[in-house]
């Protein structure tokens, strides 16, 4: 189902390991695109953000005739997954959506591309709320609202704890719909819904440790962890978004053949 030009629905029935990238391969794709092909990482981030915004606006058109009275709350981590989130906030805001940004870290701790997009969001005066207000905002959110999970993507390297685990619990307890950017926070690109280095057979064990997304929009290709039998429970309806580079080239770059 081509819901918008650069985004295609993932067919779970035909998903194979050969179609999937590991976190390391995903980073290699990034590196190859930036260093060998010379595309800027900010262009990749913008393309990633644009595909998420296209999806939200197409879905909104298709499901409610473009009624945009819902609120999109975007929770941004400190890495490039967060950078995607700041860019998504800017694009949705310029399209007239009600947007609220929540950042998990002070700007000084952001990755360079996240900092660039956060600074732009600040300059444009996009509503930016205190992180500690998120629990209350999520608890009072309506079913037609969206929470965009831009906390962790392929950089997730350990189980969630502390503030991030609390944020994820707040997200999962909310009536709001949840959209995961690249991967749900708490979901390992390599192994799926894991806790520590142990695959979780009982998904309920992950309650609060992994975002239960209604929709996941992943970039370039599916990720290896999506093969885990419990994956769909956390990914929801999954789409694969192109970020402007020929997939075949990227596969060669990570010698997927
Ligand atoms: N693959 C690609 O071609 C592209 C990737 N982009 C985005 O870049 C993301 C990867 O960005 P990053 O490598 O900065 O990583 P993330 O943004 O996923 O993670 C940020 C940082 O969080 C820390 N972290 C890891 N596990 C944690 C935990 N359990 N608790 C607390 N902190 C933790 C790590 O230091 C990690 O570097 C992708 O998921 C995607 O959203 C896009 O911007 C565009 C292109
Ligand atoms: K995410």
């Amino acid at each position: 189902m081509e819901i918008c030009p650069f985004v295609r629905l993932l067919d779970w029935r035909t998903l194979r390991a050969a179609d999937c990238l590991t976190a390391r391969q995903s980073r290699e794709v990034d590196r190859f695109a930036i260093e060998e092909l010379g595309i800027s990482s900010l262009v990749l981030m913008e393309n990633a953000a644009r595909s998420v915004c296209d999806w939200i606006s197409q879905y909104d058109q298709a499901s409610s005739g473009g009624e945009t009275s819902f609120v999109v709350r975007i929770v941004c981590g400190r890495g490039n997954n967060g950078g995607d989130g700041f860019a998504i906030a800017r694009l949705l805001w310029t399209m007239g959506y009600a947007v609220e940004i929540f950042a998990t870290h002070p700007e000084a701790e952001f990755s360079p591309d996240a900092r660039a997009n956060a600074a732009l969001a600040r300059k444009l005066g996009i509503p930016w709320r205190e992180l500690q207000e998120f629990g209350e905002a999520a608890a009072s959110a309506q079913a037609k609202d969206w929470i965009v999970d831009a906390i962790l993507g392929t950089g997730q390297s350990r189980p969630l704890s502390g503030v991030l685990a609390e944020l994820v619990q707040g997200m999962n307890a909310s009536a709001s719909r949840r959209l995961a950017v690249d991967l749900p926070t708490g979901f390992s690109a390599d192994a799926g819904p894991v806790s520590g280095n142990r695959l979780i057979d009982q998904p309920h064990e992950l309650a609060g440790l992994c975002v239960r997304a209604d929709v996941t929009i992943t970039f370039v290709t599916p990720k290896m962890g999506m093969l885990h039998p419990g994956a769909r429970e956390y990914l929801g309806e999954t789409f694969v978004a192109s970020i402007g580079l020929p997939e075949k080239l990227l596969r060669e770059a990570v010698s997927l053949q």
Side-chain angles (χ1 to χ4, degrees):
M1 172 173 74
E2 288 284 327
I3 191 165
C4 30
F6 291 100
V7 181
R8 65 178 170 80
L9 180 65
L10 176 71
D11 183 348
W12 290 96
R13 291 163 309 171
T14 58
L15 185 63
R16 297 168 298 126
D19 305 320
C20 299
L21 282 180
T22 61
R24 186 188 57 75
Q25 288 171 331
S26 190
R27 275 193 292 278
E28 174 52 21
V29 157
D30 237 359
R31 186 204 64 75
F32 178 80
I34 295 160
E35 292 175 18
E36 312 292 328
L37 300 181
I39 191 167
S40 116
S41 57
L42 278 172
V43 168
L44 294 177
M45 186 169 279
E46 196 73 10
N47 290 345
R50 166 73 67 178
S51 64
V52 172
C53 294
D54 281 352
W55 188 91
I56 289 176
S57 83
Q58 296 268 348
Y59 179 87
D60 170 36
Q61 294 293 334
S63 58
S64 59
E67 174 242 354
T68 54
S69 66
F70 53 86
V71 177
V72 184
R73 295 181 176 88
I74 303 163
V75 190
C76 299
R78 64 184 167 93
N80 288 349
N81 195 246
D84 295 350
F86 289 116
I88 291 165
R90 169 169 40 85
L91 294 174
L92 286 175
W93 194 69
T94 52
M95 291 162 83
Y97 288 100
V99 166
E100 293 178 353
I101 288 172
F102 296 84
T104 61
H105 289 77
E107 279 151 90
E109 294 176 31
F110 290 169
S111 69
D113 289 354
R115 195 174 310 132
N117 273 297
L120 203 41
R122 283 269 196 219
K123 283 204 184 84
L124 290 169
I126 298 176
W128 189 315
R129 297 187 56 184
E130 293 304 315
L131 187 65
Q132 54 271 24
E133 293 172 357
F134 179 73
E136 166 51 35
S140 56
Q142 298 179 41
K144 63 181 177 180
D145 293 337
W146 282 101
I147 288 172
V148 173
D149 161 20
I151 300 176
L152 294 178
T154 53
Q156 155 126 3
S157 58
R158 54 190 187 276
L160 301 181
S161 59
V163 170
L164 295 197
E166 277 168 42
L167 285 170
V168 167
Q169 275 151 349
M171 287 183 174
N172 287 343
S174 174
S176 183
R177 294 174 292 188
R178 288 173 291 279
L179 185 149
V181 176
D182 207 17
L183 290 169
T185 294
F187 190 98
S188 155
D190 293 348
V194 295
S195 175
N197 53 8
R198 190 169 55 83
L199 278 189
I200 295 288
D201 301 328
Q202 310 303 330
H204 66 276
E205 287 179 52
L206 267 175
L209 282 179
C210 187
V211 170
R212 286 177 191 280
D214 298 286
V215 174
T216 294
I217 298 182
T218 197
F219 306 122
V220 186
T221 70
K223 303 301 184 287
M224 206 58 84
M226 293 180 177
L227 295 170
H228 183 284
R232 284 188 76 172
E233 176 148 359
Y234 294 94
L235 288 155
E237 205 171 24
T238 302
F239 295 84
V240 182
S242 156
I243 54 171
L245 292 169
E247 210 176 281
K248 186 175 172 312
L249 197 64
L250 300 177
R251 285 175 182 289
E252 280 151 22
V254 292
S255 60
L256 266 184
Q257 305 304 357

